[in-house]
Amino acid sequence: MPRSGDDFISALQLEAEAWSKKVGDRPMRTVYIGGGTPTVLSLEQLARVIGIIRQCFSIDPAAEFTIEANPNSATSGQLMFLRSQGVNRFSLGTQSFSDRMLRTLGRPHDAAQAKDAFRLARNAGFDNISIDLIYGIPGQTMLEWQETLDVAAALRPEHISAYCLSLDEGSKFAERVKSGRLTLPEDEASAEMYEHAVQSLRSAGYLRYEISNFSLPGFECRHNQHYWDRGEYVGLGPSASSFFSGKRTTDVADTEAYVRQLSAGLGAIEAEEFVDRGAAARESLLLGLRTARGVDLARYEREHGTGLLKRLKENAAALEAAGLLLLTGEWLRLTDRGFLLADEALTRLSA
């Protein structure tokens, strides 16, 4: 990061100021500082970032305000400071409570540090904490996965995300798998781990409200729900995405280029696309069905037309007969089996 983050934060301010002119005084109901490890910044730098957000945008007094951190970068002083600044939700990149799995993933923390970071957040006054877990790791056993789920449930975070391991093209981890030094579990084994997570977390009181997300009642992530509802949002920083006035934009990924372009008055957007009517209808369907509540068909018809609703119901009939979809009243949702085969179901449904 350029000059310990100062140049980056100055560039971030320029982008925020540009967006504030477009957004105006529309209230922001969620704020999410993530995309890496924000807590590597100093307290002064974190204060600047939060100050920029509050200066450039109208933040709803009841907004959900989240910050991400890895267990090895979170300190008591930082967490207490963030809480004092109005940050009211903490997302911890735990990944696993198995030291063996953490070593396989190449994570810079161990299970003890993950537990300590969680307790530091509680002691700092956070009463809404989320932890991320990963399954489908090379060499992972069902016993190790269950032990991680047990530790997570015992800590009692308000929110748990459970993601199947995905490989970023070109990453060192992906290269190790490609070369045969690591072997990913078979799809069936990963599916069993997912089913096991759903059952285990349900028995511990966590409700699945989206394919990969579970929460105690009332602690669903409002920020993510806004995405799945196709709400507008503004993203700041390298690789950040925004969706505003029917247009989706993505910022340049390289941090140096991000700083250089904004400092030169060129803006940070690298790609943009206008979401046409057909794409909007597909997004409503694909995003809505990721959630436990599903797609509101009356709203779908209002937004996308009777013709597209008719085609949707025709496509849904075969999937409902196969036990992947459930049509109840004016809602269309995936069944438990449908969640397991979500990619297949959503592909067939949006054809």
Side-chain angles (χ1 to χ4, degrees):
M1 193 173 285
R3 280 204 280 168
S4 301
D6 289 334
D7 287 352
F8 167 74
I9 294 172
S10 295
L12 192 77
Q13 180 165 3
L14 291 172
E15 186 180 22
E17 289 171 350
W19 268 110
S20 69
K21 295 174 183 176
K22 301 176 185 177
V23 174
D25 59 359
R26 295 171 61 177
M28 297 289 182
R29 294 185 173 84
T30 69
V31 178
Y32 198 108
I33 302 179
T37 54
T39 49
V40 300
L41 297 174
S42 68
L43 293 185
E44 180 184 0
Q45 289 169 332
L46 283 169
R48 282 186 62 195
V49 170
I50 294 172
I52 288 167
I53 293 170
R54 294 194 180 280
Q55 172 191 340
C56 293
F57 303 102
S58 175
I59 309 300
D60 190 310
E64 176 190 88
F65 197 146
T66 305
I67 193 165
E68 281 184 358
N70 285 333
N72 61 305
S73 67
T75 68
S76 178
Q78 285 175 327
L79 292 169
M80 293 181 72
F81 169 77
L82 290 168
R83 193 68 191 90
S84 73
Q85 293 293 303
V87 179
N88 53 30
R89 187 174 183 273
F90 181 62
S91 180
L92 186 63
T94 305
Q95 316 301 4
S96 177
F97 288 105
S98 161
D99 286 339
R100 190 173 80 91
M101 291 297 95
L102 289 169
R103 287 193 295 270
T104 298
L105 291 169
R107 304 300 297 175
H109 67 273
D110 59 24
Q113 285 177 300
K115 296 174 191 174
D116 287 343
F118 182 89
R119 294 184 182 110
L120 287 177
R122 275 285 189 251
N123 292 338
F126 282 96
D127 56 8
N128 191 356
I129 302 177
S130 176
I131 62 174
D132 290 348
L133 303 177
I134 292 180
Y135 63 93
I137 304 169
Q140 186 178 34
T141 66
M142 185 65 81
L143 178 60
E144 284 172 314
W145 179 227
Q146 179 60 62
E147 288 174 346
T148 281
L149 293 169
D150 288 343
V151 173
L155 288 173
R156 210 60 181 167
E158 283 68 33
H159 189 279
I160 297 174
S161 296
Y163 301 111
C164 187
L165 178 67
S166 60
L167 302 180
D168 294 327
E169 189 68 30
S171 68
K172 290 182 179 179
F173 198 86
E175 290 301 318
R176 291 166 67 192
V177 172
K178 188 176 180 180
S179 67
R181 285 176 288 167
L182 288 175
T183 303
L184 293 174
E186 296 292 332
D187 290 345
E188 184 177 337
S190 293
E192 288 178 2
M193 288 186 181
Y194 174 73
E195 283 189 289
H196 191 72
V198 173
Q199 295 167 5
S200 179
L201 293 175
R202 181 183 293 152
S203 67
Y206 292 88
L207 306 177
R208 177 181 60 186
Y209 69 97
E210 190 269 345
I211 289 178
S212 302
N213 288 279
F214 307 78
S215 75
L216 297 177
F219 287 95
E220 298 85 355
C221 178
R222 285 190 273 148
H223 189 76
N224 286 344
Q225 286 182 312
H226 189 69
Y227 282 140
W228 299 321
D229 204 33
R230 291 192 76 251
E232 293 184 320
Y233 54 89
V234 171
L236 306 175
S239 296
S241 295
S242 302
F243 179 50
F244 188 74
S245 295
K247 184 169 68 173
R248 184 165 285 107
T249 59
T250 305
D251 282 357
V252 61
D254 181 73
T255 302
E256 295 286 351
Y258 174 84
V259 173
R260 185 171 59 251
Q261 289 180 204
L262 281 161
S263 299
L266 301 176
I269 294 174
E270 182 177 53
E272 64 180 31
E273 65 168 327
F274 288 92
V275 182
D276 62 25
R277 182 185 175 193
R282 286 191 296 274
E283 286 181 4
S284 292
L285 182 61
L286 300 180
L287 292 173
L289 282 177
R290 289 185 60 87
T291 67
R293 67 178 183 176
V295 175
D296 180 344
L297 296 180
R299 176 183 171 184
Y300 185 89
E301 183 177 20
R302 285 196 308 272
E303 294 182 351
H304 309 299
T306 302
L308 286 179
L309 176 64
K310 180 180 177 182
R311 190 170 75 180
L312 169 59
K313 288 184 174 180
E314 290 171 351
N315 289 343
L319 294 174
E320 187 176 18
L324 300 180
L325 285 176
L326 184 63
L327 179 59
T328 55
E330 287 299 312
W331 290 87
L332 182 69
R333 57 176 61 90
L334 291 171
T335 63
D336 283 347
R337 184 164 177 266
F339 274 116
L340 272 177
L341 302 172
D343 288 343
E344 176 189 342
L346 295 177
T347 299
R348 289 168 59 184
L349 193 59
S350 59

